[in-house]
Amino acid sequence: MAGPSVSEAPSLVDRYFTRWYRADVKGRLGEDHCILQHSNRLCVITLAEAHPLLQNGKTIKSVDYQISAHCSRLQNKVSGKSKRGAQFLTELAPLCRISCSDGEEYTIYSCIRGRLMEVNENILKRPSILQEKPATEGYIAVVLPKFEESKTITEGLLSQKEYEEIVVKRTNAPVVECC
C-alpha cells in the first residue's frame, strides 16, 4: 500500500502556523489580511487569498514602508532578549503601502497588537513575490504579541472556516444595479 502522495502533504505553513483573518480591514471591502500564528507567538502578516492584489491581475509598482514623515518601518531595529528598539504596533497600525500600476494604493495594517520584529525587505526589490508567494516569501512583516496578550490575540479575528464562509457570501452576493 502506497503512502500519501507528495501533493497531499501539508505545506510548512499549514503544519506550523494557524491561519487567522481580518476581513474588510478599515471597512474596505475585500481588503483582507491574513495572520499566520506560530505556537511560539510569532505572527506573520500576509495578504489574504481574496485580497484585490491577488485577485484582479494587478501589477504592483512599489511597496513603501515609510508610513509618515517621521515613521518608517525600515528603521525598526530589534536587539536583545527583551526585543529592545522594536516598534510597538496597535491593530490598526499601518505596516506599508502598496502602489499598483493602475494608480490604486493599498495600506496593509498590523491587525494585531505587538512588537514589530521585522519587515520583508525583499518585497521592496521584487514586489511581485507578494502575489506569487503571499504566505511565504511574500509576507509583509513579523509581529510578536505581548506574552500576556498572546492567548487573546485572535479575539476579533476569523478562523479559516469563518473567513472562507465570508468569501463565499461575497462571491454569491447579488449585484445591485443603481439608477
Side-chain angles (χ1 to χ4, degrees):
M1 186 188 299
S5 71
V6 174
S7 64
E8 292 174 23
S11 71
L12 178 82
V13 170
D14 291 334
R15 280 198 314 264
Y16 295 106
F17 292 84
T18 303
R19 292 177 190 262
W20 297 97
Y21 296 87
R22 183 163 316 265
D24 306 328
V25 176
K26 291 198 86 169
R28 297 186 62 148
L29 185 65
E31 291 191 28
D32 308 337
H33 298 18
C34 178
I35 297 92
L36 303 170
Q37 184 183 35
H38 192 273
S39 60
N40 68 2
R41 298 187 352 244
L42 278 177
C43 295
V44 180
I45 313 303
T46 70
L47 297 174
E49 296 87 349
H51 194 285
L53 283 165
L54 303 179
Q55 296 298 310
N56 302 337
K58 292 192 174 284
T59 302
I60 298 174
K61 187 172 68 175
S62 65
V63 177
D64 191 0
Y65 283 110
Q66 185 76 39
I67 301 308
S68 69
H70 303 291
C71 180
S72 171
R73 300 299 181 209
L74 292 172
Q75 300 304 312
N76 190 60
K77 302 294 180 220
V78 181
S79 66
K81 193 173 171 182
S82 63
K83 309 301 181 209
R84 283 185 303 280
Q87 296 173 12
F88 188 78
L89 305 171
T90 63
E91 293 91 342
L92 293 177
L95 293 169
C96 68
R97 288 190 180 80
I98 301 171
S99 299
C100 297
S101 56
D102 64 2
E104 286 284 326
E105 188 173 276
Y106 299 90
T107 301
I108 308 304
Y109 296 91
S110 173
C111 296
I112 58 171
R113 290 170 43 89
R115 293 182 178 276
L116 181 62
M117 295 292 98
E118 71 177 63
V119 295
N120 184 0
E121 294 186 35
N122 293 328
I123 62 176
L124 297 172
K125 294 178 225 103
R126 267 192 57 218
S128 62
I129 59 174
L130 278 167
Q131 295 163 312
E132 295 161 9
K133 300 178 179 184
T136 55
E137 294 172 51
Y139 72 96
I140 307 289
V142 177
V143 178
L144 180 64
K146 287 183 176 180
F147 181 77
E148 58 273 11
E149 293 180 2
S150 61
K151 297 285 189 247
T152 60
I153 204 74
T154 59
E155 288 177 6
L157 297 178
L158 301 168
S159 68
Q160 184 151 6
K161 185 176 186 294
E162 292 168 324
Y163 177 67
E164 288 168 357
E165 290 169 2
I166 284 177
V167 172
V168 167
K169 283 180 191 169
R170 268 191 213 144
T171 54
N172 294 335
V175 176
V176 179
E177 294 193 24
C178 175
C179 313

